[in-house]
Amino acid sequence: MESSSSSSSVEAPELGAQSSARRLLRLRSHLTPAAPPLPPCGADQQLEMLTCARTTKLEVDTERLSDYMRGKHRGIQEKVYEYLNSRPDLQTPVEISMDEHRELCMRQLLGLVREAGIRPFRFVSEDPEKYFAIMEAAGSVDMSLGIKMGVQFSLWGSTVINLGTKRHRDKYFDQIDSVEYPGCFAMTELHHGSNVQGLQTTATFDPITDQFVIDTPNDGAIKWWIGNAAVHGKFATVFAKLMLPTHDARGLADMGVHAFIVPIRDMKTHKTLPGIEIHDCGHKVGLNGVDNGALRFRSVRIPRENLLNRFGDVSRDGKYTSSLPNINKRFAATLGELVGGRVGLAFSSVGVLKIAITIATRYSLLRQQFGPPKKPEVSILDYQSQQHKLMPMLASTYAFHFATLYLVEKYSEMKKSHDDQLVGDVHALSAGLKAYVTSYTAKSLSICREACGGHGYAAVNRFGSLRNDHDIFQTFEGDNTVLLQQVAGDLLKQYKEKFQGGTLAVTWNYLRESMNSYLSQPNPVTARWESEEHLRDPKFQLDAFRYRTSRLLQSVAVRLRKHTKTLGSFGAWNRCLNHLLTLAESHIESVVLAKFIEAVERCPDASTRAVLKLACDLYALDRIWNDIGTYRNVDYVAPNKAKAIHKLTEYLSFQVRNVAGELVHAFDLPDHVTRAPIAMQSEAYSQYTQYVGF
């Protein structure tokens, strides 16, 4: 009797639990499309089928994938690689002094331009896509070379042709193109970097001699970190406040920051010109092939014609004329023409990420450690922890590739059309992508180094130099935190436009189209959908990203309005700053995902499209999982769905691992470009041992 009653007392709750479970399953079947049932078979057979399903590997045609990725400028990049590979004397050794590196970097640039016949400058305006492809290739070989090239053509050269007029183009173009006129971009000062309107260097017009007088009024106004200044530069584009005599009590009128061409060294002797003081900024954390210097000007006189006068000019009698109505408009137009530098950095940063993830992935496939008892050791990329580190990063590299390619296309279109709306859109998008991508790459370089263990610490395997050289990408051409604030400011402006019935820039169209639905209460049914088909649906993914951005935008607008009443606009902005930065990052992630989805959908080859879709799904779901708290807090995602997202993200990482070798191979980076022995495609260990002398 005891046994019987004991048995029934156990069975009753079990039956109740089973009944509850059945009810839950029935409810779930209404919310989630059912997976097809497994055919009846034994437990071993079912396990075998599941194992087989998990190890199904996509077929990847790396040549087709590479063609789709690299497109029409593959040829010019290979020309850069082949020329530098054919010249052992121009290859950067692992150990090199700062002075030797600077001279080598200049010889590399001159060799590409004068011997290989690669003339990047003519593409700066004519074909920016081709120009950025050349820059990416040069930077892949030696980041100092890519930056040196950028200083010469994107900065010094670009200011002459974009801020100047025909007289400047006629006088300087050919010599900048041939690097006969190496030059500098002298904007940053010791006391002012991001706040360009706060620059203190002055350019005072002297009507008697028809000259401008360039002065550094105090130590804080010394031009600092100026690339090409310490050794090679002969000219500088100097940004200074244009001061005009007023013939009244004021004495001088400040017309705002303008750009001036200032010769800094003698063309024949290379000696520093009178009134100019140049000092070397010295050894840096990275990029020591670039000669950064500091410039001081003491009453340096230049002809009036050296004013780069596209947006403002001074006549012989000292009258100022401009097609733009005020200082702020002129300043915005001037900075708008310099946006190419940010576009180039975002694009080049993806190139650095490609090298790092290629080295880390190939090593992780090669390296074997531990394994099941009495079985061979397994590749370290078979460990879930290594997949978690590297596979979302590989997916992100593809995402950033397509996003920055889109940015370059829009920039090229802007250079041709000069459409005001497109100019604003490119300005904000370049700021956001430069900030987001360079920050992500900087973090990823450290993760890749750690993922390669002790061998990742060897200088020859490049993570140290890549990390050090790339680090400055986060702060030059605009500090990332400042750039993200620009994006947040533009979002708030667009938000205001939406409610005033104005037009929105193209990148923000989704705010007008769907913001009301994004801000409505989440659907309690879809919040519980957890099928793989639903979670891998691009509409669900993009809606989730845009929902988060819209929530952040609406909530920060409310907070700013509230705090402005007590703290003023500056204090309110500072109080909400972290919220604003999160908003900007969320928006950029939405843009990146949208461009990745578009790239997948327009891919003509089915097998290539399938592998890109896999990477795109991992990028999207990994981002959603990383911010799952936000979605849970507002019940956009129910607990069961959150769990399903996590499980699917891990499964997709495993699936990407199965094609990781092919995905990095499609970047088409030759061994002589990656240059890390642990990433060699054949005999990696033997090449590594040979390097150290065995």
Side-chain angles (χ1 to χ4, degrees):
M1 287 293 293
E2 285 179 10
S3 150
S4 170
S5 88
S6 149
S7 168
S8 63
S9 67
V10 170
E11 284 172 9
E14 278 184 354
L15 286 169
Q18 287 171 9
S19 175
S20 298
R22 277 197 298 273
R23 283 198 300 274
L24 283 170
L25 282 169
R26 200 174 300 118
L27 176 61
R28 183 173 295 176
S29 72
H30 292 292
L31 302 177
T32 309
L38 288 169
C41 55
D44 290 344
Q45 198 176 345
Q46 283 197 9
L47 180 61
E48 188 178 328
M49 287 175 64
L50 286 169
T51 304
C52 182
R54 285 180 68 83
T55 54
T56 301
K57 180 177 174 179
L58 289 171
E59 290 297 318
V60 184
D61 185 328
T62 53
E63 190 61 32
R64 283 185 177 179
L65 178 55
S66 191
D67 280 342
Y68 185 64
M69 288 280 290
R70 294 185 61 192
K72 58 186 176 181
H73 299 304
R74 190 173 184 173
I76 191 72
Q77 290 191 317
E78 286 173 356
K79 191 175 178 183
V80 172
Y81 296 151
E82 286 163 10
Y83 170 73
L84 291 170
N85 190 46
S86 72
R87 291 285 304 273
D89 59 309
L90 294 183
Q91 290 162 23
T92 308
V94 175
E95 297 181 51
I96 186 170
S97 71
M98 181 180 74
D99 291 341
E100 289 171 330
H101 198 179
R102 288 173 170 183
E103 288 311 312
L104 173 62
C105 207
M106 189 61 171
R107 285 191 291 113
Q108 288 170 333
L109 179 58
L110 291 172
L112 280 172
V113 170
R114 297 178 185 177
E115 290 179 25
I118 297 167
R119 294 293 184 98
F121 190 43
R122 62 194 58 181
F123 303 124
V124 168
S125 290
E126 292 173 16
D127 190 351
E129 292 175 53
K130 193 169 187 176
Y131 173 72
F132 291 128
I134 295 169
M135 259 191 80
E136 181 192 19
S140 297
V141 174
D142 185 336
M143 232 181 292
S144 285
L145 171 60
I147 298 302
K148 184 91 169 171
M149 183 181 286
V151 170
Q152 175 67 14
F153 302 124
S154 298
L155 297 180
W156 151 238
S158 187
T159 52
V160 173
I161 60 173
N162 290 326
L163 299 182
T165 48
K166 184 177 183 297
R167 72 188 187 208
H168 302 107
R169 188 182 179 91
D170 291 347
K171 184 174 180 180
Y172 293 99
F173 186 94
D174 289 342
Q175 289 84 354
I176 294 173
D177 182 46
S178 65
V179 201
E180 189 181 335
Y181 286 179
C184 317
F185 178 86
M187 178 181 277
T188 299
E189 295 178 355
L190 181 62
H191 283 187
H192 288 90
S194 298
N195 182 11
V196 179
Q197 282 183 299
L199 296 179
Q200 298 177 67
T201 302
T202 57
T204 306
F205 182 62
D206 181 351
I208 297 170
T209 59
D210 196 27
Q211 293 173 318
F212 285 103
V213 182
I214 312 295
D215 268 305
T216 303
N218 54 63
D219 285 356
I222 295 171
K223 296 294 182 181
W224 208 272
W225 291 128
I226 310 304
N228 264 356
V231 179
H232 297 124
K234 294 185 186 295
F235 294 86
T237 296
V238 176
F239 287 81
K241 292 189 295 184
L242 195 163
M243 311 298 289
L244 286 181
T246 59
H247 311 295
D248 61 19
R250 288 181 301 157
L252 292 170
D254 180 355
M255 307 308 295
V257 173
H258 289 63
F260 303 82
I261 296 175
V262 182
I264 59 172
R265 287 187 175 94
D266 187 275
M267 288 301 298
K268 292 179 181 175
T269 67
H270 202 62
K271 287 184 178 177
T272 305
L273 292 173
I276 294 170
E277 190 178 347
I278 304 177
H279 291 281
D280 197 323
C281 287
H283 204 274
K284 305 185 292 292
V285 169
L287 293 178
N288 282 299
V290 182
D291 52 314
N292 292 85
L295 300 168
R296 186 202 292 272
F297 304 97
R298 290 189 174 92
S299 301
V300 175
R301 291 180 171 269
I302 58 170
R304 177 170 53 89
E305 290 75 19
N306 282 26
L307 165 65
L308 293 170
N309 62 334
R310 179 177 167 192
F311 297 119
D313 204 0
V314 175
S315 64
R316 176 66 186 86
D317 59 354
K319 294 283 193 303
Y320 185 84
T321 54
S322 174
S323 58
L324 299 168
N326 56 50
I327 283 181
N328 289 338
K329 291 279 188 186
R330 291 193 293 271
F331 180 72
T334 299
L335 290 194
E337 285 301 321
L338 306 177
V339 77
R342 290 174 188 167
V343 176
L345 283 183
F347 197 72
S348 296
S349 184
V350 180
V352 176
L353 187 56
K354 286 175 186 173
I355 293 172
I357 192 65
T358 296
I359 296 170
T361 299
R362 284 189 177 148
Y363 175 74
S364 297
L365 288 166
L366 166 78
R367 182 74 165 179
Q368 294 179 330
Q369 293 290 287
F370 307 109
K374 298 180 182 178
K375 294 277 183 75
E377 290 187 303
V378 301
S379 157
I380 61 173
L381 199 52
D382 285 331
Y383 288 101
Q384 193 180 58
S385 55
Q386 193 81 342
Q387 292 169 17
H388 177 70
K389 286 177 186 174
L390 297 180
M391 295 304 93
M393 189 190 298
L394 179 53
S396 297
T397 308
Y398 270 79
F400 298 157
H401 169 86
F402 291 115
T404 54
L405 209 56
Y406 168 76
L407 172 62
V408 169
E409 287 166 4
K410 287 284 129 190
Y411 175 76
S412 301
E413 193 182 317
M414 181 199 83
K415 295 296 286 181
K416 292 183 179 76
S417 72
H418 300 289
D419 177 75
D420 285 345
Q421 195 171 356
L422 191 56
V423 168
D425 202 34
V426 169
H427 196 270
L429 189 59
S430 64
L433 278 173
K434 184 268 182 188
Y436 189 89
V437 171
T438 58
S439 292
Y440 185 92
T441 298
K443 295 182 185 81
S444 298
L445 286 164
S446 287
I447 293 168
C448 285
R449 205 294 297 158
E450 292 163 19
C452 293
H455 294 317
Y457 197 62
V460 71
N461 289 321
R462 292 196 69 192
F463 290 120
S465 60
L466 288 171
R467 188 168 58 184
N468 289 347
D469 287 346
H470 179 274
D471 192 62
I472 190 63
F473 280 45
Q474 298 173 92
T475 44
F476 70 6
E477 287 293 315
D479 177 273
N480 285 357
T481 304
V482 175
L483 294 182
L484 287 174
Q485 288 179 72
Q486 286 183 19
V487 175
D490 279 326
L491 280 164
L492 286 160
K493 182 181 172 187
Q494 299 290 337
Y495 180 77
K496 187 178 176 185
E497 288 281 339
K498 176 201 165 7
F499 290 108
Q500 291 179 348
T503 58
L504 276 78
V506 66
T507 308
W508 288 273
N509 270 341
Y510 70 86
L511 293 176
R512 175 177 52 208
E513 291 166 2
S514 315
M515 194 154 180
N516 289 337
S517 64
Y518 289 136
L519 294 178
S520 62
Q521 283 299 107
N523 185 326
V525 176
T526 56
R528 287 168 174 75
W529 283 359
E530 59 178 64
S531 71
E532 181 176 338
E533 183 184 5
H534 167 67
L535 297 179
R536 296 186 71 173
D537 182 347
K539 185 178 186 314
F540 157 68
Q541 295 165 1
L542 202 50
D543 277 353
F545 276 50
R546 289 174 169 178
Y547 175 83
R548 179 182 56 165
T549 304
S550 298
R551 294 284 305 195
L552 286 164
L553 177 55
Q554 191 264 348
S555 56
V556 83
V558 170
R559 286 186 67 205
L560 283 168
R561 199 175 299 123
K562 171 189 162 188
H563 289 305
T564 299
K565 293 172 184 173
T566 54
L567 301 173
S569 57
F570 182 86
W573 186 271
N574 196 33
R575 174 67 65 88
C576 300
L577 189 49
N578 289 333
H579 191 156
L580 289 158
L581 297 176
T582 304
L583 164 65
E585 289 174 343
S586 176
H587 169 66
I588 293 302
E589 286 180 353
S590 299
V591 174
V592 170
L593 178 60
K595 296 307 150 194
F596 202 173
I597 290 169
E598 287 173 18
V600 172
E601 290 173 347
R602 69 169 179 264
C603 180
D605 176 64
S607 64
T608 302
R609 190 164 59 249
V611 76
L612 288 174
K613 176 73 167 71
L614 173 63
C616 186
D617 289 340
L618 177 56
Y619 170 79
L621 294 174
D622 181 66
R623 289 299 188 285
I624 292 171
W625 174 249
N626 286 340
D627 199 18
I628 199 68
T630 297
Y631 295 105
R632 285 288 303 113
N633 285 344
V634 292
D635 291 324
Y636 190 83
V637 167
N640 68 302
K641 188 170 188 172
K643 185 178 178 182
I645 289 168
H646 187 214
K647 286 174 68 175
L648 184 55
T649 302
E650 290 185 339
Y651 176 60
L652 293 176
S653 286
F654 166 75
Q655 290 279 56
V656 170
R657 176 262 175 267
N658 284 338
V659 290
E662 291 91 331
L663 285 170
V664 297
H665 190 68
F667 294 146
D668 204 17
L669 293 165
D671 282 349
H672 63 262
V673 173
T674 55
R675 295 204 307 281
I678 60 170
M680 293 298 168
Q681 294 175 72
S682 64
E683 301 180 343
Y685 277 130
S686 63
Q687 295 203 38
Y688 194 17
T689 53
Q690 284 173 26
Y691 172 78
V692 298
F694 285 99

